[in-house]
Amino acid sequence: MTAENQRGTAAVQPRRIRFNYPVASLQRHFVKGDLVMSHMIAHLSAVFPEGEDFFIRSVRRYADQITDPVLKEQVKGFIGQEVTHGREHRALNERLQQMGYPTHRIDRLVNRRQRAIERRFSPLTCLAITAALEHFTAVFAETLLTDERAQALLGTSEVRSMLLWHAIEESEHRSVAFDVYRAVGGDEARRIRTMRIIRFTFPMAVSLNTILSLLADPAAYHPVRLIRSFAALRHSPFLTRDVFRRLGDYLRPGFHPDDHDNTALLERWEAELFGEQGTLVGHLS
């Protein structure tokens, strides 16, 4: 079966799952002791709850216009998965706030920014923004699932377990917002123009807020440790040429997320995390 024929046929099923972060269960710099990556991952986690709510609103506005029964079911699954993602990241963010990361401040900032976007732009543009950001999250999710170096950064903590679960579900529903955008008449020009802006603004926001977070961390005022941490970014599995190439693929006319086949990847991780001996079976409720 060709990629074109496979599009839109995969089921998107929410999982009822819970993670726990007892006091003292995480090191202050929980990404292998790395200053910059710990603050960056904490920032991204802080962005997710309000970000997921924005995605849900953007897709839900058009749910009644979807006539394809498969896509309608995928939309329901997408919303279910994103609701759970928001809930679980809020739980993690509470723990990170206690550890000194400014997750509450970032949550409020993202809420104001998303509401401003919804006031300024049309619902279709908000959906285009959602599809573009879903491509970002899917590319980084699949990098985590495919690159052992990325997995090693998270050690064996509960954060690793949660991010692997989040990654597999982002990969499962990566095309839903994109397909809704197309189904309701979204055009290529708006889709590509939106991503050109997102490719600049999203990394800039992550970089700026990571630096602001670092400024409040006493450990960041040890120059050697800080310089080594920034230098290590050159070798980050999330900043490789392949990652940038996949992000750039979105700008190609006629692009679809399923052009990059993830079937084997999902089968492998579904078995590893949720199979009979899956490492996260005990987290399911």
Side-chain angles (χ1 to χ4, degrees):
M1 184 179 289
T2 66
E4 184 70 32
N5 291 330
Q6 288 177 328
R7 290 175 186 173
T9 61
V12 178
Q13 296 294 334
R15 296 173 178 85
R16 300 180 65 182
I17 195 166
R18 292 277 185 179
F19 297 90
N20 295 292
Y21 311 95
V23 174
S25 64
L26 293 175
Q27 295 181 355
R28 174 67 172 87
H29 302 107
F30 57 95
V31 183
K32 286 190 81 173
D34 188 282
L35 277 172
V36 175
M37 283 300 296
S38 295
H39 281 270
M40 189 174 294
I41 296 298
H43 167 71
L44 290 172
S45 182
V47 166
F48 274 122
E50 288 295 335
E52 306 286 25
D53 287 349
F54 175 82
F55 296 167
I56 291 168
R57 291 193 299 270
S58 298
V59 170
R60 185 176 274 156
R61 287 189 190 100
Y62 290 96
D64 291 343
Q65 297 183 32
I66 303 301
T67 57
D68 177 61
V70 174
L71 184 55
K72 284 181 77 72
E73 286 301 310
Q74 289 182 326
V75 166
K76 291 179 184 178
F78 170 87
I79 292 172
Q81 286 188 342
E82 296 290 54
V83 165
T84 309
H85 295 174
R87 184 196 71 208
E88 290 305 308
H89 274 282
R90 283 186 173 93
L92 173 58
N93 293 342
E94 284 298 321
R95 186 72 193 94
L96 293 173
Q97 179 73 29
Q98 295 168 8
M99 293 164 60
Y101 294 95
T103 55
H104 289 176
R105 178 184 63 81
I106 294 168
D107 184 77
R108 293 191 297 269
L109 178 66
V110 174
N111 176 271
R112 291 196 296 270
R113 185 180 66 199
Q114 305 291 39
R115 295 296 180 177
I117 288 171
E118 289 173 303
R119 288 193 297 269
R120 179 177 179 183
F121 297 105
S122 70
L124 191 60
T125 295
C126 289
L127 185 57
I129 292 170
T130 295
L133 288 171
E134 281 287 296
H135 181 63
F136 261 89
T137 55
V139 169
F140 288 126
E142 291 177 5
T143 300
L144 176 60
L145 296 175
T146 55
D147 196 316
E148 292 183 357
R149 295 175 303 156
Q151 297 156 31
L153 285 173
L154 300 171
T156 59
S157 69
E158 188 82 336
V159 174
R160 179 184 189 273
S161 297
M162 194 270 267
L163 291 180
L164 286 173
W165 155 75
H166 191 164
I168 193 174
E169 293 200 345
E170 287 295 333
S171 191
E172 286 172 344
H173 72 230
R174 66 183 184 179
S175 65
V176 175
F178 187 102
D179 287 339
V180 171
Y181 175 79
R182 279 192 172 178
V184 299
D187 60 84
E188 288 287 85
R190 187 194 305 255
R191 177 182 72 78
I192 293 172
R193 182 173 64 250
T194 300
M195 177 55 101
R196 289 191 187 281
I197 296 170
I198 296 285
R199 283 185 79 194
F200 173 76
T201 57
F202 180 71
M204 284 294 293
V206 172
S207 299
L208 176 61
N209 282 289
T210 298
I211 290 171
L212 291 175
S213 183
L214 280 163
L215 289 174
D217 186 345
Y221 292 87
H222 295 272
V224 174
R225 185 177 180 186
L226 185 63
I227 290 170
R228 285 177 177 172
S229 184
F230 272 111
L233 288 176
R234 294 178 301 169
H235 308 291
S236 170
F238 297 103
L239 300 175
T240 63
R241 289 183 180 179
D242 185 58
V243 168
F244 290 123
R245 178 188 58 76
R246 283 201 60 193
L247 290 173
D249 284 347
Y250 195 93
L251 301 174
R252 174 172 47 81
F255 165 83
H256 190 278
D258 291 344
D259 291 342
H260 185 88
D261 186 15
N262 66 355
T263 306
L265 185 67
L266 290 177
E267 290 176 349
R268 171 198 162 193
W269 281 99
E270 172 67 26
E272 187 162 331
L273 299 180
F274 302 108
E276 187 174 342
Q277 302 296 323
T279 56
L280 297 187
V281 170
H283 288 70
L284 296 172
S285 58

